Amino acid sequence: MLFFVRNCGFFMRELSVKIGGNGKNMRRKKILYGGDYNPEQWLKEPEILEKDIAYMKEARINTVSMGMFSWAMLEPEEGQYRMGWLEERIEQLYRNGIFTILSTPSGARPRWLAQAYPEVLRVREDRVRQIFGERHNHCYTSPMYREKVGRMNRELAKRFGKHPAVVMWHVSNEYGGECHCPLCQEAFREWLERKYGTVEALNDAWCTTFWSRRYSSFAQAESPSSIGEWELHGLTLDWKRFVTAQTADFARHEIAALKEEGITQPTTVNLMYDYQQLNYDELAKCVDVVSWDSYPVWHEGEDIVPALDQAMQHDYMRCLKHKPYLLMESCPSSLNWQRVSKLKRPGLLTASGLQAIAHGSDSVMYFQIRQSRGASEKFHGAVIDHYGGTDTRVFQEVKAIGEVLETLEEIKGAAVKADVAVIYDVENRWAMEDAQGPRNDGLFYHEAAMKSYTAFKRLGLNVDVISQAQEIEGYRMVAAPMLYLFRDGMEEKIRHFVAGGGCFVLTYWSGVVDETDRCFLGKTPHGLTDVFGLRRAEIDGLYDGEVNGLVLAKDAAKILGKDDLAEENGRDDLVREKGKGDLAEEKGTAFADRDFRVKGYECRNLCELLEVEDAQVLFTYASAFYQGSPAVTVKAFGKGKACYVAADAKQRFYDDFYAWLAGQEEVCPILEGEIPAEVEVSSRTAGEWEYVFVQNFSDREVDIRGLNFGDDIEILYGRGDLERLQAYGSVIMKRKMEGEIS
Ligand code: GLA
Ligand code: ZN
């Protein structure tokens, strides 16, 4: 078997060498373990700071991230820098074997700055300037903000840029939001002029003749606003792109200031879960390492559902650079900003930490080490809570995880190899969700991506989650749910992929508009109707609760290897018992028609009507005036396969359909055998070794006898019963890879 090695852990290995180079050889390969630490809140209580260090050591914490909200303490008055306290902390931690990821403090400006220079404060989309307060309340364009941040960063870099205790720069904190101030408007106009060159080109791209919105100069351009223009889709899309560009430019400005002082450490920005206001592709390009903050909602149903949702985000973050990344924040106990602050069931913290490692993270980090005493996060979970002792349930689990991570050092830097990918693209989402139609009550893009992702995971595969800007060559299967917007050349990329032997699954509402959200004229999905052998004719939006179904088309049973069904079109064999299939379904939907349920797969929300030319029809619609018309097709094109799914089908459909496709494409699971519904299987590889993670995301013991581990395995974690996984239990094993590495 040939393995495709796509991802490499070069960077983190460099980091290891750097740490090793400081004479701390025993720490060379450590997985980073620790979290956000805010000693500035405790400077008047030295005994607490002392305790913190002792506790961290006890919990095997080896890294903290500091400084992200310290501006007021680092520069209490304009130009008066007070960095001694930070240096003292960094060095004391270092003497105790704890490294620092040092943050620049631009995520929250001090009061004096906003007072002296009101231009640094943000202007809302309704053109109201905010007053001082909160975090993320500053303009990324403001020359004054840039100057002050640049100066602060240079001061920090001078002092810590070559400090052996500082292993990385954490640039700002969770960049996000947007500003509509006059400075940003001006920058937007310049950005538009650079992009379009002439006003005529802008008018064409945005279709401004519609409702008389033509521009006669770039000076007339304004950001979208609820009190003005918010329905000119070309504008709203470009504005979001501009916000990303401006944020990335600000990040580059921050990093340039650090580099001017010759920092020797790598940089990162901490990204957020499924964040929709920025295109993270662009932010990732600014830094050396990607990191992110994970805060799932657990215990609100079957935990495998949030577990797979997190898994998809982990994979998305890894794929931003296709190399190991860091889990920068996660909550050691209950959160305080979700609807309900739920305690993590014993074992779940361990499972979710190990899941990060399984997906390519080289760290497990928490927000926060010590719980703050006041203000908005005083009840946010922490390693050390207000009680202040180590004899707490949470501390003990944190400590146990620290001990486990020390035994897994060899996994650090290992790659994740995936033969399949899901395209999940934020620009596409921006355009689609602003589009007005075909379903303003919800298009469910995230859910659609999750269905493909979940189906792949249930087959026991590693999955890459990529934007459409990324390379797809080299994968065996690629799923592109709802790829409404095609960037220039996307259709060629897909055509080439399929012609060369890949299997591509495209769904309803794909290839509809170009890069500036103008509808493609002629047949759609644009540029691909010969590849898929069909064209989209119409799309039907379904009301909430309304259902249609997919039933096996005539002759399709043979193709799908369901010969026994040939006469009986779409019988219950294709529908699994309630249970596995239902775990990842959206909440609150009932089967409208029980009888229908056993005859096919339910679909909802959107049903596209197709005109099929030369594709094989596998499923047809079960009802409505388009009953019997094609809903799922496959066509051999070149050396590959082009599949089209025309409706928003339930998870069960994707599970079965991808199982069939994966069989055809000979995509190999990490482990042979049946994966229980509650279990996730993933792997990382380094050299000739593969590290396989089998994790139970449920509060019940799960029988894993159906999985074939092979004979030649070494158990690294979870020794004991290979037949049953305890509640939230994991097994991590090591085996030699078969086949050759390319
Ligand atoms: C984010 C921030 C942290 C903290 C946590 C709380 O991730 O980066 O500073 O506010 O949320 O969950
Ligand atoms: Zn601004």
Side-chain angles (χ1 to χ4, degrees):
M1 182 195 314
L2 184 75
F3 286 100
F4 296 90
V5 179
R6 197 172 288 110
N7 313 321
C8 292
F10 294 135
F11 175 70
M12 294 314 294
R13 286 197 204 102
E14 278 166 27
L15 176 64
S16 304
V17 171
K18 199 177 293 295
I19 294 171
N22 294 324
K24 296 257 168 189
N25 283 330
M26 34 78 76
R27 305 187 46 78
R28 239 164 51 87
K29 288 250 325 169
K30 279 205 188 305
I31 290 171
L32 306 190
Y33 191 52
D36 278 32
Y37 182 49
N38 303 101
E40 69 272 24
Q41 294 173 16
W42 303 96
L43 293 180
K44 290 183 187 153
E45 277 133 305
E47 64 293 349
I48 285 201
L49 296 173
E50 282 298 316
K51 262 192 204 162
D52 287 345
I53 291 189
Y55 290 177
M56 286 187 223
K57 284 168 78 171
E58 189 181 337
R60 307 291 201 269
I61 284 174
N62 56 43
T63 309
V64 295
S65 60
M66 282 202 288
M68 62 281 290
F69 301 116
S70 305
W71 196 337
M73 297 296 279
L74 292 169
E75 191 183 1
E77 286 173 56
E78 187 169 0
Q80 306 293 311
Y81 295 96
R82 302 274 181 275
M83 301 201 167
W85 66 268
L86 181 60
E87 187 158 18
E88 208 177 297
R89 283 300 91 210
I90 288 175
E91 288 183 352
Q92 204 189 352
L93 286 159
Y94 186 51
R95 282 195 293 277
N96 285 278
I98 300 165
F99 290 89
T100 294
I101 295 177
L102 188 57
S103 183
T104 65
S106 65
R109 75 242 71 76
R111 207 174 282 274
W112 61 257
L113 177 58
Q115 211 168 7
Y117 310 102
E119 74 163 50
V120 305
L121 292 172
R122 253 176 216 183
V123 171
R124 300 192 316 219
E125 59 77 24
D126 59 0
R127 309 305 192 249
V128 173
R129 193 179 292 275
Q130 303 191 156
I131 61 171
F132 177 80
E134 291 300 324
R135 299 187 279 189
H136 316 295
N137 181 10
H138 33 260
C139 169
Y140 293 136
T141 308
S142 156
M144 187 48 74
Y145 199 57
R146 287 183 176 222
E147 185 188 317
K148 293 296 170 194
V149 168
R151 175 95 199 268
M152 166 58 71
N153 290 6
R154 283 194 296 276
E155 291 294 327
L156 285 168
K158 263 186 224 160
R159 200 133 176 173
F160 305 109
K162 297 183 181 69
H163 200 297
V166 175
V167 290
M168 189 177 285
W169 289 88
H170 176 298
V171 183
S172 201
N173 191 67
E174 294 187 339
Y175 280 122
E178 58 188 46
C179 173
H180 298 253
C181 78
L183 295 164
C184 286
Q185 301 292 353
E186 200 43 49
F188 181 44
R189 288 172 197 130
E190 285 163 15
W191 183 88
L192 288 172
E193 195 160 356
R194 277 197 303 278
K195 177 166 181 176
Y196 291 105
T198 66
V199 181
E200 205 40 44
L202 175 87
N203 281 317
D204 288 346
W206 289 1
C207 295
T208 56
T209 309
F210 179 85
W211 286 359
S212 273
R213 265 108 127 216
R214 292 185 63 80
Y215 293 88
S216 49
S217 78
F218 282 103
Q220 294 170 331
E222 272 269 345
S223 64
S225 171
S226 58
I227 57 166
E229 192 74 85
W230 56 272
E231 290 179 298
L232 190 58
H233 299 152
L235 164 68
T236 51
L237 184 56
D238 270 341
W239 168 253
K240 289 186 173 113
R241 289 181 175 132
F242 163 77
V243 171
T244 286
Q246 203 66 352
T247 309
D249 190 60
F250 187 83
R252 280 192 295 270
H253 168 79
E254 284 214 47
I255 293 163
L258 298 173
K259 290 199 168 154
E260 266 173 49
E261 298 300 334
I263 57 160
T264 51
Q265 308 93 336
T267 56
T268 190
V269 280
N270 56 335
L271 308 177
M272 291 173 267
Y273 166 87
D274 208 28
Y275 188 66
Q276 291 166 47
Q277 292 184 50
L278 293 172
N279 181 351
Y280 278 165
D281 274 351
E282 300 305 314
L283 218 45
K285 285 179 196 158
C286 305
V287 291
D288 301 304
V289 183
V290 162
S291 64
W292 81 287
D293 304 339
S294 162
Y295 294 105
V297 176
W298 295 108
H299 313 316
E300 207 187 8
E302 293 289 348
D303 279 322
I304 189 68
V305 177
L308 289 181
D309 193 53
Q310 289 307 295
M312 186 168 100
Q313 289 293 311
H314 278 300
D315 290 341
Y316 169 78
M317 297 294 173
R318 183 188 67 248
C319 291
L320 287 170
K321 280 191 174 291
H322 287 284
K323 56 184 192 182
Y325 60 94
L326 300 179
L327 173 63
M328 189 59 85
E329 294 179 23
S330 59
C331 182
S333 59
S334 73
L335 281 161
N336 75 327
W337 49 260
Q338 289 172 344
R339 283 177 299 121
V340 171
S341 300
K342 179 60 71 190
L343 290 180
K344 288 191 173 65
R345 299 294 178 249
L348 191 265
L349 188 64
T350 311
S352 65
L354 293 178
Q355 185 191 33
I357 304 296
H359 283 264
S361 172
D362 278 347
S363 72
V364 174
M365 306 275 285
Y366 303 114
F367 180 88
Q368 50 198 328
I369 303 279
R370 182 178 276 277
Q371 201 165 32
S372 62
R373 217 174 155 185
S376 63
E377 287 177 339
K378 61 181 178 292
F379 297 122
H380 191 293
V383 174
I384 306 164
D385 63 15
H386 297 142
Y387 158 69
T390 56
D391 53 341
T392 62
R393 189 180 66 88
V394 172
F395 186 89
Q396 291 305 317
E397 190 166 345
V398 167
K399 177 179 166 183
I401 297 168
E403 288 165 359
V404 172
L405 293 178
E406 288 190 344
T407 68
L408 299 177
E409 292 174 357
E410 62 185 277
I411 301 177
K412 184 174 175 183
V416 174
K417 296 182 303 149
D419 284 337
V420 302
V422 175
I423 295 181
Y424 187 55
D425 188 282
V426 73
E427 289 206 351
N428 170 57
R429 183 176 192 163
W430 290 339
M432 188 165 34
E433 290 180 352
D434 262 1
Q436 298 175 296
R439 201 172 186 285
N440 299 329
D441 267 1
L443 294 166
F444 303 106
Y445 180 53
H446 179 90
E447 289 78 357
M450 267 310 291
K451 284 177 190 172
S452 285
Y453 181 83
T454 300
F456 281 141
K457 285 305 304 184
R458 283 179 175 169
L459 290 170
L461 303 171
N462 285 333
V463 187
D464 277 355
V465 179
I466 58 175
S467 76
Q468 62 174 306
Q470 295 200 32
E471 191 48 70
I472 55 173
E473 235 29 71
Y475 294 110
R476 308 284 287 279
M477 285 178 69
V478 174
M482 304 180 82
L483 199 56
Y484 164 77
L485 177 146
F486 274 4
R487 290 212 192 163
D488 289 350
M490 191 59 198
E491 63 278 14
E492 285 313 313
K493 217 152 117 173
I494 297 172
R495 171 185 298 275
H496 194 258
F497 173 79
V498 179
C503 172
F504 200 93
V505 181
L506 193 65
T507 80
Y508 55 98
W509 211 226
S510 289
V512 182
V513 301
D514 68 12
E515 271 200 26
T516 57
D517 207 14
R518 279 182 315 194
C519 292
F520 288 117
L521 300 180
K523 292 183 182 178
T524 54
H526 174 71
L528 291 172
T529 52
D530 61 323
V531 176
F532 288 84
L534 52 81
R535 85 165 186 94
R536 156 191 315 104
E538 295 178 85
I539 188 160
D540 191 19
L542 273 60
Y543 292 113
D544 286 350
E546 193 183 349
V547 294
N548 202 320
L550 309 177
V551 290
L552 262 185
K554 201 163 177 299
D555 300 332
K558 261 202 188 69
I559 302 166
L560 294 170
K562 299 270 173 194
D563 288 347
D564 47 326
L565 291 180
E567 298 303 307
E568 299 170 80
N569 257 6
R571 284 279 303 278
D572 43 340
D573 294 48
L574 274 178
V575 182
R576 291 190 196 144
E577 284 306 300
K578 195 165 188 229
K580 183 164 178 171
D582 283 342
L583 287 179
E585 298 297 354
E586 300 85 348
K587 282 166 255 148
T589 46
F591 290 100
D593 179 346
R594 293 196 64 79
D595 183 47
F596 161 70
R597 191 186 154 219
V598 294
K599 289 187 181 155
Y601 302 94
E602 191 180 293
C603 56
R604 284 172 291 151
N605 302 317
L606 290 168
C607 295
E608 218 170 54
L609 279 58
L610 304 177
E611 278 178 17
V612 172
E613 199 166 301
D614 58 353
Q616 175 73 47
V617 179
L618 298 178
F619 290 88
T620 59
Y621 285 109
S623 61
F625 71 89
Y626 40 92
Q627 178 177 5
S629 77
V632 178
T633 63
V634 62
K635 181 183 164 183
F637 180 85
K639 295 188 194 140
K641 221 186 235 101
C643 308
Y644 198 84
V645 180
D648 183 356
K650 286 203 129 187
Q651 183 65 50
R652 196 179 298 107
F653 165 77
Y654 286 95
D655 290 348
D656 289 344
F657 188 51
Y658 286 20
W660 174 71
L661 285 172
Q664 298 257 308
E665 301 302 310
E666 295 177 357
V667 178
C668 299
I670 298 163
L671 293 175
E672 299 289 342
E674 179 76 10
I675 304 172
E678 302 86 348
V679 168
E680 192 203 348
V681 179
S682 8
S683 72
R684 289 178 75 168
T685 50
E688 56 184 0
W689 295 104
E690 184 177 24
Y691 301 93
V692 178
F693 294 67
V694 181
Q695 299 200 268
N696 173 11
F697 283 98
S698 81
D699 59 2
R700 314 175 281 281
E701 195 179 82
V702 168
D703 187 337
I704 50 169
R705 278 174 299 181
L707 282 170
N708 179 4
F709 299 113
D711 300 326
D712 228 356
I713 53 163
E714 183 189 330
I715 305 291
L716 294 182
Y717 173 74
R719 266 166 263 272
D721 202 348
L722 277 189
E723 303 197 335
R724 272 167 288 274
L725 267 183
Q726 64 188 41
Y728 303 114
S730 305
V731 180
I732 305 173
M733 63 199 99
K734 177 179 176 180
R735 65 181 184 193
K736 268 232 168 82
M737 298 227 293
E738 310 161 31
E740 102 201 46
I741 313 287
S742 57

